[in-house]
Amino acid sequence: MNNIQYLSEKPAVSPSLSKPIELYVFIDLLSQGSFELQALIRQLQINYGHYFSMRFVLSTELNSLNSACQRINSCQTQEELVDLSHPVLPSIAVKAAELQGKKAGYRYLTKLQEYTYLNTKNVCQCSTLQEIAYETNLDVEEFQTDFLSVEASRSFQNDLCIAREMEVDEVPSFVFFNENIEDEGLKVSGSYSYEVYEKILEELLGEKLVCQQPPAVEDLFHRFHTFTTKELAAIYQISPSTCERELKKKMLQQKVDRVTYENLSLWRLK
């Protein structure tokens, strides 16, 4: 692959590793491919999460951030803010959610990706971002305060600094570090198949990977909330038709339901 290169120096944000590998994932929240990328990452987490910790890094142009902050500050009333729409607002919203904890931030990010995938509402509008906060059980009043805070925009600016330091100019990109601080980081620009990232992990570890068994499907839903049929089929290594049949059984048992919009559908716990 031409889009793999080594970082000659570790950036100032060099991670402190509690697992052998630290993975930085640079994403564009507004990309339709963001949801498919999420499915790949979740499969890696389920199978090999004992080998790596992970951090999502959001990428948007800095001048877009400046113009968004100016528009937020120009709002005189809550009603004006609710109607505000700007491409950088989803990234600021994720950072506001993260101020309630890493898990809260991840719930918010994945729900936002789901909204983008289904394309039913404008995720760049403040009213939609507030709705996502309700759906992910955040403290909505705290979220609204944090959304307008310097801390949220500063946290997003930090993501942009990380992208510059790691010389990331394409999304998605993955940057891998191992636990040896003397070793170079490995940057993979662009999107590849699951097997490619699996092979990279194995090469970085220098040993054959041990795949964890996936948990019961109900446990998976409690952890990740929504799945496509294709995604679950890949996790359990069964055919999509078999997976669909099993999920329909669970739907008849009122354990899961299906959210459908046009030709797209997702499964979730009832």
Side-chain angles (χ1 to χ4, degrees):
M1 289 181 292
N2 296 326
N3 289 334
I4 291 184
Q5 62 186 117
Y6 288 94
L7 302 176
S8 58
E9 295 182 7
K10 287 196 175 183
V13 292
S14 174
S16 174
L17 299 178
S18 57
K19 296 182 181 181
I21 302 293
E22 175 82 1
L23 173 59
Y24 285 82
V25 182
F26 295 80
I27 60 171
D28 175 4
L29 290 173
L30 301 183
S31 167
Q32 280 286 338
S34 171
F35 193 83
E36 285 76 12
L37 181 68
Q38 173 187 284
L40 181 150
I41 291 168
R42 293 199 297 201
Q43 189 176 357
L44 283 173
Q45 286 178 293
I46 291 163
N47 289 341
Y48 303 117
H50 51 302
Y51 290 118
F52 68 90
S53 54
M54 184 178 62
R55 174 176 177 176
F56 284 102
V57 185
L58 311 181
S59 296
T60 307
E61 291 297 325
L62 185 58
N63 59 355
S64 295
L65 174 61
N66 292 337
S67 66
C69 291
Q70 290 170 2
R71 293 181 65 180
I72 290 173
N73 293 333
S74 69
C75 293
Q76 301 296 316
T77 65
Q78 185 66 31
E79 288 73 21
E80 288 179 359
L81 182 61
V82 165
D83 292 335
L84 181 64
S85 179
H86 193 283
V88 84
L89 295 183
S91 295
I92 295 176
V94 169
K95 293 303 176 183
E98 285 179 355
L99 292 173
Q100 296 188 35
K102 185 176 180 179
K103 288 184 178 180
Y106 183 69
R107 285 201 313 272
Y108 191 93
L109 185 150
T110 53
K111 178 60 71 172
L112 194 151
Q113 288 177 310
E114 178 186 317
Y115 268 58
T116 304
Y117 173 72
L118 292 175
N119 197 28
T120 55
K121 294 188 178 180
N122 179 10
V123 296
C124 295
Q125 190 161 355
C126 283
S127 57
T128 303
L129 297 172
Q130 182 172 298
E131 180 181 315
I132 295 172
Y134 278 108
E135 286 207 26
T136 50
N137 298 315
L138 296 185
D139 181 321
V140 177
E141 187 174 337
E142 183 179 339
F143 170 80
Q144 290 173 328
T145 300
D146 290 336
F147 181 74
L148 299 172
S149 71
V150 173
E151 287 79 7
S153 58
R154 189 173 291 158
S155 177
F156 180 53
Q157 283 177 321
N158 185 54
D159 275 18
L160 300 176
C161 289
I162 293 172
R164 284 197 300 272
E165 289 187 17
M166 295 191 187
E167 300 175 348
V168 171
D169 52 17
E170 180 181 352
V171 287
S173 285
F174 289 62
V175 178
F176 298 82
F177 292 102
N178 66 24
E179 55 193 343
N180 185 350
I181 61 172
E182 300 299 325
D183 287 350
E184 299 170 315
L186 180 66
K187 181 174 67 177
V188 184
S189 302
S191 184
Y192 297 93
S193 68
Y194 170 82
E195 289 75 19
V196 168
Y197 300 107
E198 190 177 39
K199 183 174 177 58
I200 289 170
L201 277 175
E202 189 165 82
E203 289 180 353
L204 286 172
L205 288 163
E207 61 186 61
K208 188 169 180 60
L209 297 177
V210 177
C211 182
Q212 297 182 121
Q213 289 298 312
V217 68
E218 288 85 356
D219 293 333
L220 269 190
F221 274 111
H222 279 297
R223 181 178 176 186
F224 294 111
H225 309 295
T226 58
F227 289 94
T228 63
T229 302
K230 180 181 177 182
E231 185 178 2
L232 281 172
I235 290 168
Y236 289 103
Q237 297 186 339
I238 57 178
S239 69
S241 59
T242 299
C243 186
E244 180 96 0
R245 187 164 59 248
E246 293 302 314
L247 287 166
K248 284 180 177 178
K249 289 178 184 177
K250 291 187 180 297
M251 187 164 63
L252 289 173
Q253 296 166 355
Q254 298 190 333
K255 292 181 178 179
V256 301
D257 63 7
R258 193 173 201 166
V259 182
T260 303
Y261 178 73
E262 294 183 352
N263 296 322
L264 306 173
S265 64
L266 294 171
W267 298 92
R268 65 184 181 190
L269 283 181
K270 284 186 72 74

